[in-house]
Amino acid sequence: MSEFNKDENPFDDPDFMSFMMSMKKLSHDRMMEMSYDLLINNAQSAVLHDAPPEDKIRAIDKVILYFEKNEEYEKCAKLVQIREQLENKF
């Protein structure tokens, strides 16, 4: 086992930074997929939840924007339907 060298900064290592950036991307992608699944599988709960409607709409807009950038328009269409339910409810 190697000893930790206090004089070396792992953030100066391009390989380490590349790895960390890929992990960040994977985590963000996974979070958006999970958000989508949660919204689609629990749309009524999302619409009826106590959170302010503006906050819910803003959150859905972020997920829609993510899937637009990835050209996953079928998912966007389903999210827009939930957004419209929110807008029509309030």
Side-chain angles (χ1 to χ4, degrees), residues 58-69:
R58 198 170 22 257
I60 290 172
D61 284 345
K62 287 181 183 181
V63 181
I64 291 171
L65 183 60
Y66 170 82
F67 286 110
E68 279 179 350
K69 288 180 181 177

Side-chain angles (χ1 to χ4, degrees), residues 68-84:
E68 279 179 350
K69 288 180 181 177
N70 289 305
E71 299 180 2
E72 294 185 55
Y73 302 115
E74 305 83 22
K75 290 181 178 180
C76 294
K78 291 179 181 179
L79 291 166
V80 166
Q81 290 175 345
I82 296 170
R83 186 185 198 284
E84 288 172 349

Side-chain angles (χ1 to χ4, degrees), residues 9 14 27-30 34 37 43 49 58 64 68-69:
N9 183 347
S27 296
H28 185 260
D29 291 345
R30 185 69 186 130
M34 289 172 63
D37 289 340
H49 189 271
R58 198 170 22 257
I64 291 171
E68 279 179 350
K69 288 180 181 177

Side-chain angles (χ1 to χ4, degrees), residues 12-35:
D12 290 336
D13 181 353
D15 292 333
F16 175 77
M17 289 307 296
S18 177
F19 170 75
M20 292 302 290
M21 293 306 288
S22 69
M23 291 303 296
K24 179 181 177 184
K25 174 79 172 128
L26 284 174
S27 296
H28 185 260
D29 291 345
R30 185 69 186 130
M31 182 187 72
M32 288 298 175
E33 288 291 343
M34 289 172 63
S35 297

